[in-house]
Amino acid sequence: MLKITNLVKTYANSTEPTINGLNLELKDGEIFGFLGSNGAGKTTTIKCICGILPFEEGEILINGKDIKKEPKEAKMDLAYISDNHAVFERLTGREYVNHIANLYSIPLDVRSERADKLVEQFNLKDAYDRQIKSYSHGMKQKISVISALVHNPKLWLLDEPLLGLDPQSAYILKQTMKEHAEKGNTVFFSSHILEVVETLCDRIGILKNGRIEHIFDLKEIKQSGLSLEEIYVKYVQTNAPHIIEVLFKNDTNKKVTKTHHTKSIKQTIRLKKGVRQAVKQAKNNKSTEDK
């Protein structure tokens, strides 16, 4: 569904690339979590995928269509929800959803059926015909989700989608993401909420030094006995990638063999104490810095 090859993106005011040789391939019907520290380039990557930002090198294919060579065709298969909920606030919720549906040439009966169902799910019925400028932060997020799904995109991109949502709306959004993937579509989202990523995703990738160096299958992480938080903190905060080599093969595009995985688990058991101590130390250091 999504294939990124050797992506390089450098901003005009920088001498070093923000994204430096990133490679990624997503499958149909999966939910993929995109992790990385602040400034790692997660939003930059997502905006390159959408065609919002130009890039110097590499190729991005969406459902087989090149975002540079066939931008219109490629964008017909994707939807994007930004972290700042940029919408036309002078329109009502209904007008905005219809505007997006018009861009994708969605028939009136189809858009109405899809939108009405989502409006009901997100409890936005009373506000649907009000101007968006009167909406709260969470309500703007909801209308962004509804407008994104009105054309049933094959690739759904979300940048920090749970920010500003109340617990009920966050739960509904997570269920909606699952349902969208179950229909054979692909969901790609960035987040700093590791507990959500761990329970929602099929695979995750950690962005570091401008590239995704390792991709994890969440089932394998659970079998290892370590939590995603422990792996993430050990890898990103303490700069110790050897834990990744213990758990998984370096080739992120291949499955871990049963023999190797069994061996990895045994090695991991011996490393657990050290990993958890590193996590605790990283948290203590952060608390000291905050003070």
Side-chain angles (χ1 to χ4, degrees), residues 3 39 63 89 94 113 141 216 225 228 242 246 255 266:
K3 185 175 182 180
N63 200 23
E89 298 198 357
R94 188 185 302 275
E113 181 180 352
Q141 176 74 318
F216 304 98
L228 177 58
H242 67 274
V246 169
K255 290 284 186 180
K266 290 179 179 179

Side-chain angles (χ1 to χ4, degrees), residues 23-25 27 32 203-206 211-217 220 235 244 248-256:
N23 292 281
L24 177 64
E25 187 166 358
K27 309 169 186 176
F32 188 90
R203 295 189 300 156
I204 63 103
I206 298 178
R211 60 172 63 91
I212 299 177
E213 297 181 356
H214 296 279
I215 293 178
F216 304 98
D217 187 308
E220 291 169 352
Y235 182 62
I244 308 304
F248 305 100
K249 285 184 174 180
N250 287 328
D251 185 353
T252 60
N253 294 319
K254 293 181 180 180
K255 290 284 186 180
V256 178

Side-chain angles (χ1 to χ4, degrees), residues 122-159:
F122 282 98
N123 194 27
L124 206 61
K125 193 172 181 179
D126 292 340
Y128 196 38
D129 290 303
R130 291 192 348 233
Q131 283 187 307
I132 296 175
K133 66 180 181 181
S134 69
Y135 286 11
S136 67
H137 178 89
M139 292 166 70
K140 289 178 182 177
Q141 176 74 318
K142 293 176 185 180
I143 203 66
S144 296
V145 172
I146 295 169
S147 63
L149 295 180
V150 72
H151 72 286
N152 192 29
K154 295 183 181 298
L155 175 63
W156 186 14
L157 305 167
L158 306 96
D159 196 358

Side-chain angles (χ1 to χ4, degrees), residues 89-144:
E89 298 198 357
R90 291 185 180 275
L91 299 180
T92 66
R94 188 185 302 275
E95 289 170 343
Y96 181 69
V97 171
N98 278 322
H99 169 67
I100 299 300
N102 286 336
L103 294 177
Y104 290 94
S105 302
I106 306 302
L108 288 174
D109 57 337
V110 176
R111 75 177 66 172
S112 295
E113 181 180 352
R114 290 174 182 169
D116 290 348
K117 178 183 177 182
L118 290 166
V119 167
E120 189 72 30
Q121 284 181 344
F122 282 98
N123 194 27
L124 206 61
K125 193 172 181 179
D126 292 340
Y128 196 38
D129 290 303
R130 291 192 348 233
Q131 283 187 307
I132 296 175
K133 66 180 181 181
S134 69
Y135 286 11
S136 67
H137 178 89
M139 292 166 70
K140 289 178 182 177
Q141 176 74 318
K142 293 176 185 180
I143 203 66
S144 296

